[in-house]
Amino acid sequence: MSRSPSFSVKSELSLKADPDALQRWVVAFCIIRFDLEQGQLIEECYPPGCLTQEEELEVAFSSFPDSVSQHQNRSSIHDCIFFFRFQRQKHSKQGNVTSSEITEIDDKETTSTPEEEKLTRRSRSIGISKRSKYLYGYVFNRQRHDERLKRGGEQKSVVILSHGPYSSVFRPLLQIMGPLYFDIGRKAIEHIAGYVSLWPSPVPGKLMELPIGNAMFKVNLPPAHSLPLESEMSYEESASSMAPFLPNNQSVPQGLFHDSDVFGTFRGLLLQLWLLWELLLIGEPILIIAPTPPQCCEAVASLISLVAPLLCSVDFRPYFTIHDPEFAQLNALQEGDKYPPMVLGVTNVFFLKALRNIPHIVSVGSPAPSSSRVTIASRSTGRIPGKPEGFGLQQLSLKKFSPSSLLNAVKLRRDGPLCLMTEHKEAIWSTYVATTKPDTSILNRLIDAGMSPRVEESMSVVNNEILRRHFLELTTNFLAPFGPYFRATTPSEGSSPFADPPPLPPFNADDFLMSLSARGVGKFLSKRMRSNWLDLYRRFLKGPNFLPWFQKRLAVAENEQHRLWRQARMKTDIHLLISRMPELEIVDFFNAIERHLLGEIQLQQSGRAVSDSAAMCQKLKGDLQAVFNLLPNDMQQLLLLNPQRAAFLQGSSNPELTKLPGRPSIQVGVVSSSLAR
């Protein structure tokens, strides 16, 4: 792999990285060397001191291909790029903000109005800024074979650590940074860090232009609704950006790892994609084994991408090693113990023995061409090297139902996944019977590229688009029955937008299943699912993906409803509205307007106000004055006894010092909480 010709380091240009700005994208850059005596060693960590000792160890162990899985050829230099994900230590100094802490903060805000408290909870549930529970490590690994060196070679890895699952950003960045580091050393880290700190903050779901030297990355970031709940960035979401509605613009990514190679990864298991989609949907534990780290992490990423636009709450590890702290817990599970919902990508065949009771095992990829195992695998499949292999329905069906394929399938099931210890094969071991049937029309549309690498790459793009579009449609239709629970309402014609909006419909699982059973699942899914489709919904409701997705979706719907009612208040002709109100209602109306005005002011004071907040305050003050003018004189005098209220009505800029008519100046130190009522 050579350095990108569009990138050059100017000697006269010295960019100083801004540590705070850098943290928006990158936690740390690490250089890790494999030492024959001491094992994995972190040579550089920039900026220093950002990881705990335990985290440094985990990063070091996860940044090298597993020695047991290596059957590479003996070329002088071998580069590969992959990524991993690990859980941060709870005692880390950059620890997480827990839900209990959020509740505690909410409880302390006793001066907030009920409406303001609701808005605060909504904004926190959607975009609270805090540290991630997980870190992603993007690795450029170089193996240099040299017979003059001890053990005939050396290994070193360049690692980018980030809070975000931004493979579309960090993969091309590593293609520049990795070779550059091996050319000029530490200076490469400083240059790249300087450029990254100049980038704007990540904006989920948007096309971003990110300059690196003379190069410019144009990348789509995953949308906000697909990012894990613990994600550290703050952002606003609109209800239109989320399921269960199929998006109009298909060029915008709808989930994580939208650039992963689904077709290339699962090329030999295309008929099983619907089974894998279901397993991930309901949160079943899956072990994916591949010959190399790039292949196994691509398989995990591709599988996660299939459930877009659903928020995937299953713990996924693109590259998992025996050094991970959680391996000991998994290894201790006995037969009959339930595995947690997870997707593990591994290369070490030792996992087949250690995790032999995991219910679903998927084998993908193929060993390197010079590997001794590839010859056996080629003979067993009967594929002739150099001969194009089609992917039409007829060929897929023949491959599935021919006598030799049937015998191979029976033999694979009988031998079990342990047969992979001697020979790598693409296969799935699972007793789960899928409800969703493979869509033959989709399989027939896939294009076979033959053996030309250039043509194959372009055809894979087309095939990936076909597959991803289909599974996006499949997931969106599966989530569609939950749509009524997220339907925001607007004030009806003639009604007051200053009243509290009605709550969204409450959700009850039993009532939902009964209603769904009565009305059916819809035309799209009824064609593609067997008669037991309701069982799939039952499993989904009990699985790990439903509740986090539903709660996040509900928070967005509540936020959207709040926005719509606020917009209606901005547009309301107050004089027309109060002209047909009786006197008693006008008093209540005055209190309602005042409550919303206090809410807007409190948002401004806390720094959470939206762009038109000042205009909204002016509109509400005008509405308050208009309603006040219609009240009887005795009521007006009574209302003016409150200094803050008097300031609103008289347009004073200082609500704490107000001169009331016929009274001495009154100074108020604390705002009464009765105002919110």
Side-chain angles (χ1 to χ4, degrees):
M1 186 179 295
S2 59
R3 177 154 49 95
S4 170
S6 62
F7 180 82
S8 61
V9 178
K10 297 179 181 179
S11 57
E12 68 274 11
L13 182 63
S14 180
L15 283 176
K16 295 292 184 185
D18 178 353
D20 292 332
L22 184 65
Q23 286 286 315
R24 295 182 301 209
W25 290 91
V26 173
V27 174
F29 296 101
C30 297
I31 306 299
I32 305 167
R33 176 173 59 87
F34 187 83
D35 186 271
L36 293 177
E37 278 76 34
Q38 302 178 61
Q40 291 89 337
L41 293 177
I42 295 186
E43 289 187 338
E44 301 267 3
C45 188
Y46 181 88
C50 53
L51 300 176
T52 65
Q53 189 174 357
E54 292 84 358
E55 289 171 344
E56 284 186 354
L57 279 174
E58 186 147 6
V59 170
F61 281 124
S62 300
S63 299
F64 291 94
D66 197 311
S67 59
V68 179
S69 68
Q70 291 308 289
H71 296 274
Q72 301 293 351
N73 56 39
R74 306 298 293 176
S75 61
S76 58
I77 292 179
H78 178 79
D79 295 340
C80 69
I81 292 176
F82 58 94
F83 74 104
F84 58 89
R85 178 180 188 250
F86 70 94
Q87 191 166 357
R88 302 209 75 172
Q89 300 298 317
K90 292 180 181 177
H91 58 271
S92 172
K93 61 184 176 184
Q94 299 95 345
N96 305 322
V97 178
T98 63
S99 58
S100 61
E101 288 171 344
I102 296 171
T103 307
E104 191 177 335
I105 294 168
D106 279 347
D107 293 341
K108 288 177 182 175
E109 292 182 359
T110 54
T111 58
S112 300
T113 66
E115 181 69 17
E116 168 64 12
E117 285 174 356
K118 284 181 186 176
L119 184 60
T120 302
R121 283 196 295 271
R122 274 197 295 268
S123 63
R124 280 183 177 145
S125 63
I126 294 172
I128 185 164
S129 180
K130 59 188 179 187
R131 290 292 180 181
S132 299
K133 184 180 177 183
Y134 291 92
L135 277 185
Y136 296 82
Y138 302 87
V139 182
F140 178 94
N141 173 259
R142 172 163 289 185
Q143 298 176 354
R144 186 169 70 90
H145 298 284
D146 189 337
E147 299 300 335
R148 295 169 296 180
L149 297 174
K150 251 186 181 181
R151 294 196 184 177
E154 64 177 3
Q155 281 195 75
K156 191 174 277 193
S157 290
V158 179
V159 183
I160 302 173
L161 293 174
S162 174
H163 295 297
Y166 302 144
S167 58
S168 59
V169 175
F170 295 117
R171 190 171 293 178
L173 183 59
L174 277 174
Q175 288 174 343
I176 291 175
M177 183 180 177
L180 187 65
Y181 171 79
F182 289 103
D183 282 353
I184 65 174
R186 177 185 169 82
K187 200 179 291 184
I189 302 177
E190 296 170 354
H191 279 297
I192 296 295
Y195 282 114
V196 172
S197 65
L198 295 177
W199 290 355
S201 296
V203 183
K206 301 295 182 183
L207 176 67
M208 301 198 72
E209 295 188 350
L210 308 172
I212 284 285
N214 297 332
M216 177 71 76
F217 295 155
K218 292 185 178 182
V219 293
N220 280 296
L221 296 188
H225 66 255
S226 69
L227 293 170
L229 291 173
E230 76 276 353
S231 187
E232 87 288 353
M233 68 289 293
S234 295
Y235 46 77
E236 288 294 324
E237 291 179 334
S238 65
S240 61
S241 71
M242 296 191 70
F245 307 108
L246 194 65
N248 296 322
N249 186 358
Q250 293 304 313
S251 64
V252 177
Q254 296 300 317
L256 298 182
F257 311 121
H258 57 275
D259 56 343
S260 59
D261 187 6
V262 179
F263 174 76
T265 302
F266 293 103
R267 189 171 187 157
L269 301 170
L270 290 173
L271 282 166
Q272 307 298 331
L273 282 178
W274 288 263
L275 166 68
L276 294 174
W277 173 79
E278 272 192 37
L279 291 177
L280 186 59
L281 189 74
I282 62 178
E284 284 287 304
I286 304 171
L287 178 69
I288 297 179
I289 185 165
T292 65
Q295 288 176 332
C296 78
C297 74
E298 190 73 8
V300 172
S302 297
L303 182 55
I304 298 299
S305 74
L306 288 185
V307 295
L310 177 69
L311 169 67
C312 183
S313 297
V314 172
D315 182 11
F316 60 91
R317 306 299 179 92
Y319 180 50
F320 189 76
T321 72
I322 58 174
H323 302 287
D324 192 291
E326 293 187 34
F327 170 68
Q329 302 170 26
L330 296 174
N331 195 31
L333 293 176
Q334 303 296 318
E335 190 169 357
D337 291 344
K338 192 173 182 182
Y339 278 81
M342 55 173 49
V343 181
L344 299 181
V346 302
T347 59
N348 193 338
V349 291
F350 170 73
F351 281 101
L352 298 173
K353 286 184 176 180
L355 307 182
R356 58 186 174 278
N357 294 321
I358 201 165
H360 315 287
I361 297 177
V362 184
S363 171
V364 297
S366 57
S370 65
S371 169
S372 60
R373 293 199 293 176
V374 75
T375 310
I376 304 171
S378 297
R379 280 203 305 268
S380 66
T381 58
R383 180 175 177 180
I384 302 170
K387 183 179 178 181
E389 184 177 353
F391 288 93
L393 172 62
Q394 185 180 7
Q395 287 163 306
L396 283 168
S397 301
L398 286 173
K399 186 177 177 183
K400 184 179 178 184
F401 298 114
S402 65
S404 61
S405 297
L406 186 60
L407 287 173
N408 285 337
V410 171
K411 186 175 183 299
L412 274 175
R413 184 170 293 277
R414 185 191 65 209
D415 294 345
L418 287 178
C419 69
L420 297 175
M421 303 202 57
T422 56
E423 175 187 352
H424 187 82
K425 301 174 182 178
E426 292 188 312
I428 291 180
W429 289 269
S430 173
T431 57
Y432 180 84
V433 180
T435 299
T436 314
K437 297 175 283 189
D439 194 316
T440 54
S441 63
I442 296 298
L443 295 175
N444 274 329
R445 288 173 59 195
L446 299 180
I447 304 168
D448 176 31
M451 300 302 292
S452 167
R454 174 180 279 184
V455 176
E456 183 152 350
E457 185 177 346
S458 59
M459 289 303 99
S460 283
V461 172
V462 175
N463 289 337
N464 283 327
E465 191 63 33
I466 292 170
L467 289 170
R468 194 160 277 116
R469 164 71 188 182
H470 168 72
F471 281 99
L472 174 65
E473 197 171 3
L474 185 63
T475 309
T476 303
N477 277 276
F478 180 81
L479 299 174
F482 298 97
Y485 297 97
F486 313 129
R487 199 161 289 150
T489 59
T490 54
S492 56
E493 190 175 350
S495 66
S496 169
F498 294 93
D500 290 331
L504 296 175
F507 181 83
N508 179 277
D510 293 333
D511 293 344
F512 169 78
L513 291 171
M514 191 180 300
S515 171
L516 187 60
S517 176
R519 70 176 186 268
V521 75
K523 187 177 178 181
F524 183 88
L525 290 184
S526 60
K527 284 181 178 180
R528 292 165 174 83
M529 288 188 173
R530 297 182 172 87
S531 58
N532 62 336
W533 54 265
L534 198 62
D535 290 336
L536 183 60
Y537 277 95
R538 284 195 187 95
R539 292 190 183 102
F540 176 65
L541 292 175
K542 293 177 181 177
N545 288 320
F546 169 69
L547 195 57
W549 169 78
F550 188 88
Q551 288 175 337
K552 194 171 187 180
R553 186 65 185 85
L554 190 64
V556 173
E558 287 176 346
N559 197 54
E560 174 68 3
Q561 181 160 277
H562 169 80
R563 188 189 65 80
L564 291 172
W565 282 67
R566 184 180 179 278
Q567 195 177 57
R569 290 193 287 272
M570 192 74 171
K571 294 179 179 178
T572 295
D573 184 342
I574 194 69
H575 299 284
L576 183 64
L577 193 62
I578 60 180
S579 63
R580 44 181 182 262
M581 276 189 183
E583 187 176 307
L584 284 177
E585 283 187 29
I586 290 177
V587 176
D588 292 336
F589 196 43
F590 180 91
N591 291 331
I593 296 173
E594 184 183 50
R595 188 176 73 248
H596 289 297
L597 177 57
L598 286 170
E600 285 289 337
I601 291 172
Q602 208 150 27
L603 279 176
Q604 289 181 349
Q605 291 172 346
S606 64
R608 297 194 305 273
V610 293
S611 57
D612 65 343
S613 184
M616 188 70 194
C617 283
Q618 286 302 114
K619 169 74 165 58
L620 290 173
K621 284 179 181 178
D623 292 348
L624 199 68
Q625 184 68 56
V627 176
F628 178 81
N629 292 338
L630 290 179
L631 294 173
N633 287 336
D634 56 341
M635 179 66 73
Q636 289 181 352
Q637 291 299 318
L638 187 64
L639 291 173
L640 288 173
L641 290 176
N642 185 295
Q644 188 184 47
R645 185 181 292 133
F648 290 156
L649 293 167
Q650 294 178 5
S652 170
S653 60
N654 184 2
E656 293 188 348
L657 187 62
T658 305
K659 183 79 167 60
L660 299 183
R663 294 174 181 270
S665 297
I666 300 173
Q667 188 165 353
V668 181
V670 181
V671 179
S672 170
S673 61
S674 63
L675 287 175
R677 294 174 188 153

